[in-house]
Structures are given as C-alpha cells and as structure tokens.
Amino acid sequence: MHDAADSLEYERAARLRDQITSVRKVIERQQMVGPKEEDFDCIGLAEDPLEASVQVFFVRKGRVVGRKGLVVDKVEELAPAALVGRILEQLYGDVPATDVPREVLVPVLPDDADLYEEFLTTARGSRVRVRVPQRGAKRELLGTVTHNAGEAFARHKLKRSERSQPHAPGR
C-alpha cells in the first residue's frame, strides 16, 4: 500500500488499504461470535436496480470459518425479500447436507419464509431456521457482513467503470 502511494498510484493504494481493512475485520470476527455449538450462515446485501452484492459469512462452532462474496445480475426488478429468496436458492440449491447450517441469518425474510425453511430443512435433514436477528452479537455480525457487501459492491462498480473507460495512449 505504501509502495503504491509512494509511486503516486493513489487509487491502487486506496484499494489495498480497503482490502487490508477487510482482512483485519475478518480476522477480528474469527473470534467467537456465538456459543461454541452454534452453526449459522450470515448473509449481507448491497444492491442497486441492476445488480446486488452478496456476502456470506460461514460460522461453525461459534467461529467465522469462511466467507463467500458474489455479485449477481438482477434480470428483473426484485424486492429485497424476493432477492433474499433467490440467493437462498443459489447458495443452497445443490450443496451437501453438511453445508446447510441450522440457522441462516438474513437482512429481510424472504417471501414465503416457511417454504424456504422447509426447503433448507429437507436439504439438511434436520430443522433449519431463517431469521432476521434483532439484537446482540448476531445483529452486529449482520451489520458487518452487510458493510462488507457494500464495500465489495463499490469495488466491483469501480472496476467495471475502469474497464469501460478508454485508456489514454501510452498506458
């Protein structure tokens, strides 16, 4: 990051700074975020009319053990509840039962939340709850995951705009 700044590559230095900050946050979050026996996934969203950025933190035995980020195109206008439903379908559509946690935390409940719980329960082979955390450590974690989705979305849009800009000769 400092080398990039010294070379007057300020945008690159800012991206590296943001990546370092994100990594630090993930490392901090690898501390216990819940009781030792808790397994859950936490899904955060940031969106505009055309795309949505999704971040998922995987918590197993109370620790953040991994994360996944993706940007999805919205081929039709979707309300946040419908978007959450589509994301649940994409994330858990054909994964092994061991990859489906007991609980999935979301920013808004999907339309037909009972149907999604039934779908996930069938995929897991035991009861799965889909819920919006209202307070406490899980609510705070959802805030962090949502913030990360926003940062990833901003980086995605920046890269997309850089690609669409014509390059000056000699670059």
Side-chain angles (χ1 to χ4, degrees), residues 92-113:
Y92 304 107
D94 66 23
V95 299
T98 54
D99 287 355
V100 181
R102 289 185 184 146
E103 185 174 53
V104 180
L105 304 178
V106 294
V108 295
L109 285 178
D111 296 327
D112 297 323

Side-chain angles (χ1 to χ4, degrees), residues 2-171:
H2 295 291
D3 291 343
D6 292 343
S7 302
L8 304 179
E9 297 178 55
Y10 299 115
E11 288 179 14
R12 183 168 168 255
R15 280 194 304 274
L16 291 168
R17 179 203 60 217
D18 293 345
Q19 288 173 345
I20 290 167
T21 301
S22 292
V23 168
R24 282 188 180 136
K25 285 181 183 176
V26 169
I27 290 169
E28 288 170 11
R29 281 285 162 206
Q30 286 183 340
Q31 299 168 3
M32 297 302 285
V33 293
K36 286 185 180 178
E37 70 280 354
E38 261 191 329
D39 292 346
F40 62 90
D41 290 353
C42 189
I43 301 172
L45 297 175
E47 62 177 314
D48 69 15
L50 302 174
E51 299 174 305
S53 172
V54 181
Q55 288 285 314
V56 186
F57 278 24
F58 305 103
V59 178
R60 301 297 180 266
K61 299 192 182 340
R63 292 187 183 275
V64 177
V65 297
R67 78 181 236 196
K68 180 178 188 173
L70 57 138
V71 174
V72 294
D73 289 326
K74 293 163 72 174
V75 293
E76 59 189 294
E77 190 173 325
L78 292 175
L83 180 60
V84 167
R86 297 272 172 89
I87 290 165
L88 291 173
E89 292 166 18
Q90 275 192 314
L91 287 173
Y92 304 107
D94 66 23
V95 299
T98 54
D99 287 355
V100 181
R102 289 185 184 146
E103 185 174 53
V104 180
L105 304 178
V106 294
V108 295
L109 285 178
D111 296 327
D112 297 323
D114 292 342
L115 187 63
Y116 282 100
E117 284 188 346
E118 188 178 315
F119 158 70
L120 293 169
T121 294
T122 301
R124 178 180 165 81
S126 63
R127 179 92 169 105
V128 176
R129 290 183 58 216
V130 177
R131 68 183 196 88
V132 179
Q134 298 300 312
R135 61 188 169 283
K138 289 181 179 177
R139 179 74 190 168
E140 191 178 313
L141 181 62
L142 179 62
T144 298
V145 177
T146 299
H147 179 78
N148 284 10
E151 286 181 351
F153 203 27
R155 285 191 302 272
H156 166 76
K157 286 179 169 186
L158 181 64
K159 283 181 190 171
R160 192 179 61 207
S161 71
E162 286 173 352
R163 283 192 302 255
S164 67
Q165 305 249 334
H167 285 31
R171 276 188 137 176

